[in-house]
Amino acid sequence: MKPVELAPNRIVSTATYNGQFPGPLLRLQEGERVVIDVHNQTDTPEQLHWHGQFLSTDVNGAAEEGTPFIAPHASRRIAFVPKPSGFRFYHTHVRAGANLNAGHYTGLVGPVYIEPKNNPGNYDREVFLTLKEFQPTYSRGGDMDMDFLLPATPVKELKESGEGAMKASLAKGMPHGFEVGYDSFTINGRMLGSGEPIRVKQGERILFDIVNGSATEIRSLALPGHAFTVVALDGNPIPKPVTVPGLWLGTAERVSAIVEMNHAGIWIMGDTANDDRQHGMGIVVEYAGQKGKPQWVAPQPFHWNYVQFGNSEAVAAQPDQVFDMTFAKQNAAADGFNRWTINDVAFAEDQMHAMHPMFRVKQGGRYRLRMRNACDDIHPIHLHRHSFELTKVAGQPTSGVMKDVVMVGGYHEMEVDFVADNPGLTLFHCHQQVHMDFGFMALFEYL
């Protein structure tokens, strides 16, 4: 555990990589083997997961897939060939359960940029931003804001099922299940006004590589008077750049966007939620030669539609097989925590080393995941060791967008395709720590 100064008189003790938060930026070369020594100086077994890379199960960093734990006060040397190119990140991958000082609630998050062999670089410089909350606390669950997700087309039968289950639970006298909130919000480990500003010059084109390193939160980001031209999602280039007024990032999502500095002043780039921004989720952008206090101007409400980043007319290839998945919530069913199920099955903690694969694939096959969310929570869904293509978002077809995390809205449907091209056990889970810890996981097995 190390002290991390979020702001003057706001110092937290948390686990970190190399004594800093975020962990050091690792710039790797696509296709060039790297050797990394991992030292676990904590008192608990740890996993270091290389999120978004196509690695073998022995180094990927997930016990469910077979990666060995790094024992307390022990070390392990790992080697791998980084791929694919683009913005990835690394983080812990252990169960926290009810312990808010473990897992993703800690400072064990760091960025990775895998340099492509050929990078045209249509920008002047890069700025890496890690969004992260600290000082977590438990509360009883409430409603999650989902109005920002488009298309806004909930499925009637999913809504009836989810609302019916919740009403029945509450009628039995059950409380709402535990949720997690936070007291401190940071960008690059500093609360708004405490860190160094991003200093810019008029006319500069800056590529912002942004990762939502939260354990549980969905984040928005806006910069008054400026627009974001998105060029990649989760490190993967999109079919064509798309300019948007602001960004939304689910847990573990990454956005790479170019901002042209064409509106001189001293601005606050921050979350559109006033309470979160005022509790630290922001950073100052300061133009050269400008004086005065940083300004925040609330943007017009903006929505997030994955379809806008894809090919509207191109049709995705047909899959070899479709896997139907229904996500559901059992309110407060696990010692006050919600239990989460995929097709009525909840992964159990004691199954970590003997988790029964739910889905089976053949190498080279193309598989479609038809995900149906029968609860009102947004789930940022992650597939290890592969990327997937978005093929249908809330009933709207699309293609060309490759990701490894995607937000599935409450009572929404989504379809994604992946090619089974990386043999070995492959973990599928919601990236919210409190969801994956209490059941929201499944394994794919190669035949």
Side-chain angles (χ1 to χ4, degrees), residues 372-389:
R372 309 175 81 242
N373 185 4
C375 55
D376 59 356
D377 294 69
I378 295 173
H379 294 298
I381 298 297
H382 175 42
L383 181 67
H384 281 213
R385 307 175 56 250
H386 300 76
S387 291
F388 49 73
E389 181 180 14

Side-chain angles (χ1 to χ4, degrees), residues 259-394:
V259 178
E260 185 172 338
M261 295 301 158
N262 55 11
H263 194 60
I266 301 178
W267 304 105
I268 293 172
M269 177 191 285
D271 200 290
T272 58
N274 291 334
D275 195 53
D276 292 358
R277 191 181 63 259
Q278 289 160 7
H279 282 85
M281 188 54 73
I283 191 168
V284 174
V285 176
E286 180 183 293
Y287 277 76
Q290 297 293 308
K291 305 292 183 187
K293 287 186 174 182
Q295 301 296 309
W296 169 259
V297 180
Q300 292 293 318
F302 58 90
H303 296 90
W304 195 249
N305 185 350
Y306 291 114
V307 173
Q308 69 187 321
F309 302 110
N311 298 314
S312 57
E313 298 179 8
V315 178
Q318 283 300 304
D320 298 307
Q321 187 176 350
V322 177
F323 293 115
D324 285 294
M325 301 177 167
T326 299
F327 310 145
K329 173 168 67 178
Q330 297 173 359
N331 178 59
D335 297 325
F337 290 89
N338 298 319
R339 181 183 291 124
W340 303 91
T341 63
I342 302 173
N343 293 348
D344 298 322
V345 175
F347 157 78
E349 180 191 5
D350 58 7
Q351 295 173 337
M352 183 175 288
H353 299 293
M355 203 173 159
H356 187 68
M358 186 177 289
F359 305 102
R360 289 171 176 80
V361 298
K362 294 180 180 177
Q363 186 167 353
R366 182 182 177 93
Y367 295 91
R368 179 161 296 168
L369 311 182
R370 183 180 292 141
M371 300 179 286
R372 309 175 81 242
N373 185 4
C375 55
D376 59 356
D377 294 69
I378 295 173
H379 294 298
I381 298 297
H382 175 42
L383 181 67
H384 281 213
R385 307 175 56 250
H386 300 76
S387 291
F388 49 73
E389 181 180 14
L390 307 190
T391 53
K392 189 176 285 187
V393 179

Side-chain angles (χ1 to χ4, degrees), residues 20 146 190 248 252 340 344:
Q20 67 181 69
M146 298 190 307
R190 301 290 284 182
W248 286 92
W340 303 91
D344 298 322

Side-chain angles (χ1 to χ4, degrees), residues 1-37:
M1 305 290 276
K2 292 283 185 180
V4 176
E5 185 176 318
L6 310 180
N9 303 316
R10 184 72 64 94
I11 299 172
V12 299
S13 178
T14 188
T16 59
Y17 292 120
N18 288 15
Q20 67 181 69
F21 181 84
L25 169 64
L26 302 182
R27 296 196 81 113
L28 310 178
Q29 297 293 322
E30 181 183 15
E32 292 189 13
R33 184 174 179 267
V34 296
V35 177
I36 297 175
D37 290 322

